[in-house]
Amino acid sequence: MNEAMKKPVIEVNGIGEETAKQLNGLRIFTVGDLLEHFPFRYEDYQLKDLHDVKHEERVTVSGIVQSEPSVRYFGKKKNRLSFRFLVNQVLITVTFFNRAFLKSQIAVGSELTITGKWDQHRMTITGSELNRGGEQKEQTIAPIYSVSGKLTTKAIRKFIYQAMNQFGNEINEILPQELLQTYKIPTKKEALSRLHFPPNAESMKHARRRMVYEEFLLFQLKMQAFRKANRDRTNGRALPISREEIEHFIKQLPFPLTAAQKRVVDEIMQDIQSSYRMNRLLQGDVGSGKTVVAAVCMYAVICAGYQAALMVPTEILAEQHVQSLKSLLEPFEIRVELLSGSVKGKKRAERLAMLESGELSLVVGTHALIQDDVLFHNLGLVITDEQHRFGVEQRRVLRDKGENPDVLFMTATPIPRTLAISVFGDMDVSIIDEMPAGRKQIETYWAKPDILERVLDFIEKELLAGRQAYVICPLIEESEKLDVQNAIDVHMILDQHFKGKWKVGLMHGRLHPSEKDAVMESFSQNETQILVSTTVVEVGVNVPNATVMVIYDAERFGLAQLHQLRGRVGRGEAQSYCILLADPKSEVGKERMKIMTETNDGFVLSERDLELRGPGDFFGAKQSGLPDFKIADVVHDYRALEVARQDAVNLIHSKEFWEDKSYEGLRRYIEEQGVLNGQKID
Ligand code: ADP
Ligand code: MG
């Protein structure tokens, strides 16, 4: 950005010290910040036909008052005013809260224009604005800004207007002419002006498109520059991989690898063999066979004389991985051990010593792996499973334990492409998009909770056929204690119901690790037929004989999580079932349950979930790692994001970009990000 844009906001006429301070509170420090304080929405004063308005949408209508307004008071300050209103032959109710003073302006037979939120079921508008007469306002779409303290939207509009007058001519174009022409988008100055003072909706959208593209392009350029810098810097190690040894190992697996598994193994091997440090994301749906891929890669690294570490989020998962890796790798005389919170005292000291001496070549663990006293002899490969559960910081700590080990992040949460390329824009991505042959689709049903009896009958039928069932209990956010209580209650009900016939186990996060082990062991031996659990079984648990997954209060879960849970069944030969007990109230909630019954494809689900809930919700609050875009929205604008990414890739690798004058603005931006000289990659 150029000099004028970097001036403190106080240089705008009309902004004094006090106002500047308040603007600072909104993270507006410079003139540029002020001009890029975009409206978070627009009030649309264009008159609309109520038939075209969706439930809960904001609307402006004009009509004739049909009844004297009645006012009700609730206590001293609260009141509700309402009256009947005829809009284009449709009789509706208009309600205003705490604005009894409007009463004098509302006379039967007079014409008014009302803006507010439309409730389709009650045929009511909850008003936010009232104007006399049926005339449209002159500015039909008005920007609304996020404000705080004494600042109002009106005041901000005034400051921006003033800033545009004073500094508008100094707004530099950062995008080259060529891109403006290709996409037929306005200049930055034009775009800013139209966004803040939209002459009409069309022109505002056009302007928005430009700013969205710019924001995505800058972000992607930064990511791509990081990626290129990482690759150019040969700070990794080229491990000597023997293809024959790998082939031999793959041949003696109990099953042939799928084509997708082979492909990702190749991709990962190339990274490991090359001299740059691998930074790769491996995505694959539940059951797509990521563990085997991990095993092949770790085997290869260990054969080359290095150590490998696998970090997982839970104790249960760690133990399962140890089991399956042992069975795969011990025939090759590779030692696999666990390092987790439950490994203590002498045992722990022993394992630490073996890691440091290099005697132990493969360690699987939880957070215990990143403690200070864990030292490796020569760590060559770090794999994290369910990577989004680990913070960036934890991943960095583990990576720093070796000298630039290669890093592979595995996730079974199919991250929609749109999100993957924005969150993990600086990573390479491998995808296992194929299931091992012979997998049956899990039949999924959505039922109201009041047919629990029938669900229990269904479970019993499967048990009689020799199968087992999971029952997952309501998830109550923010409170593990309540989750546990729920599981205990449900366990009691089922235990009563099946008394003397079947054994019902109980699993939750508050059990001691050894108790958890016992419960899991009993279930996997089919000594327990039904396992009531909180979501601790979500990842990784593998009991192929289980064919029924019942999920209570399914509407409380994200689709990605429901899919994870559902993935606990369908792991054997038999047909499996998932029953979602849910009574969602909202349309979105119902839609989500329906989608679950319609597809088993995790990628399809995650795309739909993203559309329905938005990216923040997708991973759970604050975990998404998404950058804070000022105007762009990764869900809504995902096409633009893809275009911007492709453009960024092309630009970064083109000669013109680094030499041509027209790209100077973009180049300077990258330099300012400290990508090219900085060492930080994360
Ligand atoms: P993920 O970790 O991706 O959820 P796993 O690696 O746990 O999946 O694999 C799920 C199951 O499928 C395991 O029992 C595994 O042995 C089996 N499996 C993996 N790859 C194949 C394959 N190519 N053919 C048949 N079965 C496979
Ligand atoms: Mg797995």
Side-chain angles (χ1 to χ4, degrees):
M1 231 185 251
N2 59 327
E3 294 315 308
M5 295 299 113
K6 283 180 183 156
K7 285 187 179 157
V9 76
I10 199 161
E11 301 217 359
V12 174
N13 293 342
I15 296 183
E17 237 162 78
E18 190 48 40
T19 309
K21 222 179 265 167
Q22 294 192 6
L23 288 169
N24 291 170
L26 288 169
R27 310 190 59 77
I28 298 171
F29 301 98
T30 63
V31 173
D33 293 339
L34 180 63
L35 291 179
E36 294 197 3
H37 186 65
F38 297 115
F40 72 94
R41 71 176 175 83
Y42 292 84
E43 191 76 85
D44 186 354
Y45 292 110
Q46 290 184 87
L47 296 183
K48 278 205 182 141
D49 189 334
L50 280 175
H51 294 293
D52 301 332
V53 181
K54 292 199 203 78
H55 183 54
E56 303 208 320
E57 209 170 68
R58 295 187 68 80
V59 62
T60 298
V61 293
S62 66
I64 310 289
V65 178
Q66 301 294 306
S67 70
E68 278 294 325
S70 67
V71 181
R72 268 188 183 217
Y73 288 88
F74 313 93
K76 267 193 195 141
K77 293 212 173 122
K78 297 204 165 124
N79 59 65
R80 186 184 67 209
L81 174 153
S82 59
F83 59 94
R84 310 286 275 163
F85 195 55
L86 189 67
V87 180
N88 261 344
Q89 324 284 343
V90 184
L91 189 62
I92 67 168
T93 304
V94 174
T95 305
F96 279 91
F97 285 97
N98 309 325
R99 287 165 80 177
F101 57 84
L102 288 175
K103 190 171 181 345
S104 63
Q105 301 181 29
I106 303 164
V108 176
S110 66
E111 190 169 18
L112 298 178
T113 302
I114 306 282
T115 299
K117 195 157 123 189
W118 174 231
D119 183 328
Q120 198 172 34
H121 309 312
R122 296 208 171 90
M123 299 288 281
T124 297
I125 291 178
T126 304
S128 59
E129 210 166 310
L130 176 148
N131 286 290
R132 265 185 276 190
E135 293 292 303
Q136 241 169 285
K137 294 185 124 194
E138 48 187 270
Q139 191 177 18
T140 55
I141 47 174
I144 308 293
Y145 296 96
S146 58
V147 292
S148 73
K150 287 187 195 141
L151 290 169
T152 59
T153 274
K154 213 167 142 192
I156 290 188
R157 214 181 300 179
K158 197 180 81 196
F159 298 143
I160 292 177
Y161 187 79
Q162 183 56 37
M164 277 306 253
N165 272 344
Q166 258 175 279
F167 301 106
N169 285 332
E170 297 178 59
I171 298 173
N172 270 0
E173 184 53 64
I174 192 171
L175 298 180
Q177 200 56 34
E178 191 198 326
L179 284 175
L180 295 183
Q181 272 162 10
T182 307
Y183 296 120
K184 300 195 173 56
I185 45 180
T187 61
K188 183 155 189 166
K189 182 184 171 197
E190 185 65 33
L192 288 177
S193 150
R194 291 193 209 169
L195 276 168
H196 293 299
F197 310 100
N200 55 56
E202 202 46 45
S203 158
M204 178 272 286
K205 281 186 186 144
H206 212 54
R208 185 180 178 280
R209 206 158 65 87
R210 182 231 139 93
M211 293 313 297
V212 166
Y213 176 75
E214 176 183 319
E215 198 166 31
F216 279 154
L217 184 70
L218 293 182
F219 172 64
Q220 288 295 340
L221 277 174
K222 184 167 111 184
M223 287 293 195
Q224 294 310 318
F226 265 131
R227 187 160 168 254
K228 186 168 180 296
N230 189 29
R231 292 204 160 224
D232 290 349
R233 215 174 14 238
T234 53
N235 61 352
R237 277 163 305 189
L239 302 196
I241 299 294
S242 152
R243 290 271 156 178
E244 286 90 73
E245 272 174 322
I246 298 174
E247 285 305 322
H248 176 63
F249 179 75
I250 290 174
K251 272 212 192 82
Q252 56 72 53
L253 287 171
F255 39 73
L257 293 185
T258 63
Q261 283 171 319
K262 280 189 201 146
R263 191 186 63 238
V264 303
V265 164
D266 277 347
E267 287 166 2
I268 297 166
M269 285 309 147
Q270 275 180 22
D271 283 358
I272 291 176
Q273 278 177 300
S274 80
S275 60
Y276 63 84
R277 190 172 65 185
M278 173 164 74
N279 188 29
R280 187 174 281 278
L281 179 73
L282 173 59
Q283 289 196 57
D285 212 339
V286 188
S288 61
K290 291 182 299 298
T291 312
V292 183
V293 169
V296 175
C297 301
M298 292 192 286
Y299 175 78
V301 166
I302 293 165
C303 284
Y306 288 83
Q307 290 172 300
L310 174 61
M311 184 157 90
V312 300
T314 67
E315 188 97 20
I316 297 179
L317 198 49
E319 280 163 27
Q320 283 209 348
H321 275 307
V322 168
Q323 290 306 321
S324 47
L325 290 173
K326 270 190 174 167
S327 73
L328 291 169
L329 295 167
E330 280 189 345
F332 292 82
E333 286 170 10
I334 290 171
R335 194 158 173 179
V336 182
E337 295 292 357
L338 175 71
L339 200 64
S340 66
S342 66
V343 179
K344 293 192 182 106
K346 214 175 127 212
K347 221 175 186 181
R348 181 177 149 85
E350 238 172 62
R351 287 184 190 168
L352 289 184
M354 290 198 312
L355 269 183
E356 199 173 351
S357 71
E359 201 182 328
L360 178 56
S361 41
L362 203 173
V363 65
V364 180
T366 55
H367 291 90
L369 274 183
I370 53 176
Q371 280 161 20
D372 283 345
D373 58 347
V374 182
L375 299 172
F376 289 86
H377 179 62
N378 58 358
L379 184 58
L381 173 65
V382 174
I383 302 183
T384 70
D385 200 4
E386 288 310 315
Q387 59 81 32
H388 68 266
R389 287 165 180 251
F390 293 109
V392 170
E393 188 52 23
Q394 289 160 330
R395 291 177 346 221
R396 194 186 58 72
V397 172
L398 186 57
R399 179 155 66 201
D400 287 350
K401 287 200 174 285
E403 283 168 41
N404 293 324
D406 287 317
V407 185
L408 181 69
F409 305 101
M410 300 202 295
T411 178
T413 309
I415 299 165
R417 228 187 96 70
T418 45
L419 263 192
I421 66 173
S422 51
V423 181
F424 307 113
D426 59 334
M427 284 191 189
D428 297 299
V429 179
S430 289
I431 301 181
I432 308 184
D433 52 3
E434 177 188 3
M435 285 291 181
R439 285 284 162 76
K440 287 207 173 74
Q441 297 276 302
I442 299 162
E443 284 180 28
T444 303
Y445 302 96
W446 163 30
K448 296 274 168 70
D450 54 11
I451 66 152
L452 184 63
E453 284 290 322
R454 275 174 57 197
V455 173
L456 295 181
D457 289 348
F458 181 82
I459 292 179
E460 178 139 38
K461 220 175 77 207
E462 284 290 300
L463 299 190
L464 284 169
R467 307 294 171 199
Q468 291 164 271
Y470 293 97
V471 177
I472 304 298
C473 286
L475 170 99
I476 293 168
E477 268 169 287
E478 318 286 351
S479 168
E480 195 201 358
K481 203 165 146 199
L482 286 176
D483 286 359
V484 170
Q485 190 52 48
N486 266 309
I488 293 171
D489 292 348
V490 170
H491 175 258
M492 214 163 67
I493 294 168
L494 297 200
D495 199 37
Q496 281 295 323
H497 185 90
F498 292 115
K499 210 176 192 108
K501 288 193 278 186
W502 308 104
K503 200 161 169 246
V504 186
L506 173 64
M507 168 75 104
H508 56 71
R510 295 262 166 126
L511 294 180
H512 187 270
S514 66
E515 292 173 296
K516 280 189 206 166
D517 281 355
V519 173
M520 265 337 282
E521 186 60 18
S522 168
F523 188 64
S524 62
Q525 298 302 321
N526 198 1
E527 285 156 13
T528 302
Q529 287 75 40
I530 301 171
L531 184 62
V532 174
S533 175
T534 59
T535 52
V536 291
V537 297
E538 185 191 342
V539 275
V541 168
N542 190 20
V543 179
N545 192 46
T547 55
V548 186
M549 167 61 66
V550 177
I551 305 172
Y552 266 87
D553 284 1
E555 73 269 25
R556 292 178 186 254
F557 297 83
L559 289 188
Q561 202 179 9
L562 287 176
H563 183 62
Q564 285 280 322
L565 288 166
R566 177 167 66 182
R568 296 310 103 209
V569 297
R571 310 194 129 226
E573 299 296 306
Q575 177 62 52
S576 289
Y577 308 89
C578 174
I579 300 168
L580 307 169
L581 293 174
D583 193 7
K585 297 283 179 276
S586 70
E587 289 307 313
V588 169
K590 287 175 190 160
E591 183 63 23
R592 293 173 58 237
M593 291 305 113
K594 226 175 99 224
I595 297 165
M596 281 299 295
T597 65
E598 286 166 359
T599 181
N600 268 266
D601 184 327
F603 282 97
V604 172
L605 277 175
S606 67
E607 290 282 357
R608 297 287 287 123
D609 205 15
L610 186 59
E611 278 168 31
L612 288 171
R613 306 204 309 169
D617 276 347
F618 180 75
F619 287 132
K622 303 259 175 246
Q623 276 188 24
S624 69
L626 278 174
D628 252 340
F629 292 116
K630 279 187 182 161
I631 189 166
D633 171 333
V634 284
V635 178
H636 184 266
D637 304 312
Y638 80 96
R639 276 179 215 285
L641 178 57
E642 292 193 341
V643 169
R645 175 180 157 91
Q646 198 50 56
D647 287 350
V649 171
N650 294 343
L651 285 175
I652 288 283
H653 293 99
S654 77
K655 206 163 144 241
E656 295 84 67
F657 180 77
W658 298 103
E659 290 170 4
D660 209 282
K661 181 125 179 46
S662 58
Y663 293 100
E664 208 174 349
L666 294 177
R667 272 200 309 271
R668 181 140 7 102
Y669 171 79
I670 293 182
E671 275 156 27
E672 282 170 6
Q673 302 302 307
V675 180
L676 302 176
N677 45 5
Q679 298 302 308
K680 197 169 166 297
I681 307 271
D682 216 318

